[in-house]
Amino acid sequence: MTLFEPIHVGTYQLQHRVVHAPLTRLRNTEETNIPTDLVVEYYSQRATPGGLIIGEGSAISNKAGGYSRGPGLFTEDQLEGWRKVTQAVHEKGGVIFSQMWHGSRAGSSLFIKDNQLPIAPSPIPITSSKNFMVNEPYEAPHEASHNDIKDLVQQYVEAAKNAITAGFDGVAIHGANGYLIQQFIASSSNKRTDDYGGTISNQAVTNAIGPERTGIRFSPWADEMSYETYSYILEHLNPKLAYVHFVEPHDDALREVPDLVNPLDPFRKIWQDRPFISAGGYSTQPELMADVAKNTGNLIAVGRAYLANPDLVERLKYGWPLNKYE
């Protein structure tokens, strides 16, 4: 396999395996969270024929605790803003999925309807750092009741439907980076002893828009890592999902020494020959892109290098040098 061999993802035939990773850009309107013309330009610049873009995390509702200038998927004005984005990507022949996001305890009451406390599996605040959105300690979240969890599932369902209405080709469930889904997975943030002492099922979303238009993203090394836990999750996911997306700990913006010890291979083995997206470290070690694609058949998600190189796919294809990310 090579980076430039076609691959079938969901209902789409991609022409290459370089994926635009979801990246928080904060170029939307401040109070109404509507994508602006800058957002349209950004995605249009990076769209390629038969290439997959995974959009930035978009709040699933006004209860999700989104960022200032972060986009949403819950008002008609927001959806109209996204329609301009998806149309621009489709005009370039690209495919674009919307990443559905809920901040949970990583959010802030300042960005939640009626300034309610963030909701989480357990009432445990993040204590390892300050909330960078407001430069204050994280709030102790409200523990979700059973009715709250049912409401959360419905918020995902409505956001998924809204994404399709806005022209997205599918949705990516954000199950990574310490946000809501990962908080249900991690024992450090989920101390529940009821039926929700584990992850929320993605079945509701796949029922709403179809598994072939649904992907999911995990970052096992963002919290306590357990091959057993994530293997169990993979084994119980809908096998018809468009893809699964795992962040590998090769390198990231905060890692001083690359982690070359902990591979994604056990997860790749479970998912077999279905579409599997690898991410992590490819901007600082671009030579890994071709090697991993060749050895695994994976799609490769790239973030920082895509910021600095809107024409990244063409540069990789022809061996042209990359602009350095700063």
Side-chain angles (χ1 to χ4, degrees), residues 126-177:
I126 297 172
T127 58
S128 58
S129 63
K130 284 186 175 183
N131 187 330
F132 74 92
M133 291 187 289
V134 295
N135 196 32
E136 294 180 0
Y138 284 97
E139 298 162 302
H142 163 69
E143 180 173 285
S145 67
H146 283 205
N147 284 337
D148 288 332
I149 292 173
K150 291 178 182 178
D151 181 53
L152 285 168
V153 171
Q154 190 58 34
Q155 290 174 44
Y156 276 99
V157 169
E158 292 304 315
K161 292 179 179 178
N162 286 343
I164 300 303
T165 298
F168 283 100
D169 300 300
V171 299
I173 298 172
H174 197 340
N177 304 114

Side-chain angles (χ1 to χ4, degrees), residues 2-325:
T2 72
L3 278 174
F4 296 96
E5 286 189 37
I7 184 171
H8 203 71
V9 172
T11 59
Y12 303 99
Q13 181 72 17
L14 302 184
Q15 297 306 309
H16 60 81
R17 302 180 186 222
V18 182
V19 177
H20 180 289
L23 299 168
T24 301
R25 306 302 300 132
L26 303 181
R27 293 179 172 181
N28 310 277
T29 58
E30 185 169 4
E31 294 185 1
T32 52
N33 310 104
I34 300 168
T36 64
D37 289 344
L38 280 175
V39 179
V40 178
E41 181 182 14
Y42 174 86
Y43 286 107
S44 177
Q45 287 175 338
R46 289 158 180 79
T48 59
L52 174 60
I53 290 175
I54 306 174
E56 60 207 271
S58 298
I60 60 174
S61 76
N62 58 9
K63 303 175 184 178
Y67 301 113
S68 175
R69 297 192 181 276
L73 282 170
F74 53 89
T75 73
E76 183 53 43
D77 287 341
Q78 291 166 358
L79 301 187
E80 184 57 36
W82 280 123
R83 287 187 187 99
K84 297 175 184 177
V85 173
T86 58
Q87 180 179 352
V89 171
H90 292 152
E91 286 175 353
K92 295 285 189 70
V95 174
I96 183 168
F97 276 42
S98 172
Q99 180 171 251
M100 301 191 302
W101 178 91
H102 190 294
S104 189
R105 69 174 186 165
S108 169
S109 61
L110 291 178
F111 306 112
I112 297 176
K113 181 183 178 182
D114 299 327
N115 297 127
Q116 298 176 20
L117 283 174
I119 195 168
S122 299
I124 303 171
I126 297 172
T127 58
S128 58
S129 63
K130 284 186 175 183
N131 187 330
F132 74 92
M133 291 187 289
V134 295
N135 196 32
E136 294 180 0
Y138 284 97
E139 298 162 302
H142 163 69
E143 180 173 285
S145 67
H146 283 205
N147 284 337
D148 288 332
I149 292 173
K150 291 178 182 178
D151 181 53
L152 285 168
V153 171
Q154 190 58 34
Q155 290 174 44
Y156 276 99
V157 169
E158 292 304 315
K161 292 179 179 178
N162 286 343
I164 300 303
T165 298
F168 283 100
D169 300 300
V171 299
I173 298 172
H174 197 340
N177 304 114
Y179 297 122
L180 179 67
I181 303 298
Q182 187 165 42
Q183 289 173 35
F184 272 92
I185 296 172
S187 60
S188 63
S189 52
N190 186 351
K191 303 295 184 182
R192 305 177 73 100
T193 57
D194 60 9
D195 292 343
Y196 297 105
T199 186
I200 297 177
S201 171
N202 68 340
Q203 183 175 348
V205 170
T206 60
N207 287 345
I209 66 170
E212 72 283 352
R213 293 197 289 189
T214 306
I216 191 164
R217 172 180 168 96
F218 297 114
S219 59
W221 286 270
D223 202 285
E224 72 268 19
M225 166 53 184
S226 168
Y227 278 112
E228 181 180 3
T229 296
Y230 282 90
S231 294
Y232 177 87
I233 293 170
L234 265 185
E235 289 165 355
H236 288 81
L237 286 177
N238 189 321
K240 295 182 180 180
L241 288 178
Y243 64 80
V244 296
H245 180 180
F246 273 79
V247 181
E248 197 158 19
H250 282 147
D251 186 19
D252 59 39
L254 302 178
R255 191 183 298 276
E256 294 182 0
V257 180
D259 182 342
L260 302 178
V261 176
N262 296 295
L264 295 177
D265 292 340
F267 305 133
R268 294 181 177 114
K269 183 176 181 181
I270 292 171
W271 202 242
Q272 299 177 348
D273 59 351
R274 299 187 288 269
F276 190 108
I277 301 176
S278 297
Y282 297 107
S283 289
T284 54
Q285 301 176 82
E287 66 279 1
L288 286 176
M289 297 185 209
D291 290 344
V292 173
K294 178 180 179 180
N295 294 329
T296 66
N298 288 177
L299 296 96
I300 306 299
V302 186
R304 288 167 283 166
Y306 235 134
L307 290 177
N309 301 271
D311 57 345
L312 177 67
V313 172
E314 193 170 25
R315 287 174 184 257
L316 292 173
K317 186 173 184 179
Y318 295 108
W320 300 338
L322 302 184
N323 295 325
K324 185 178 179 181
Y325 169 83

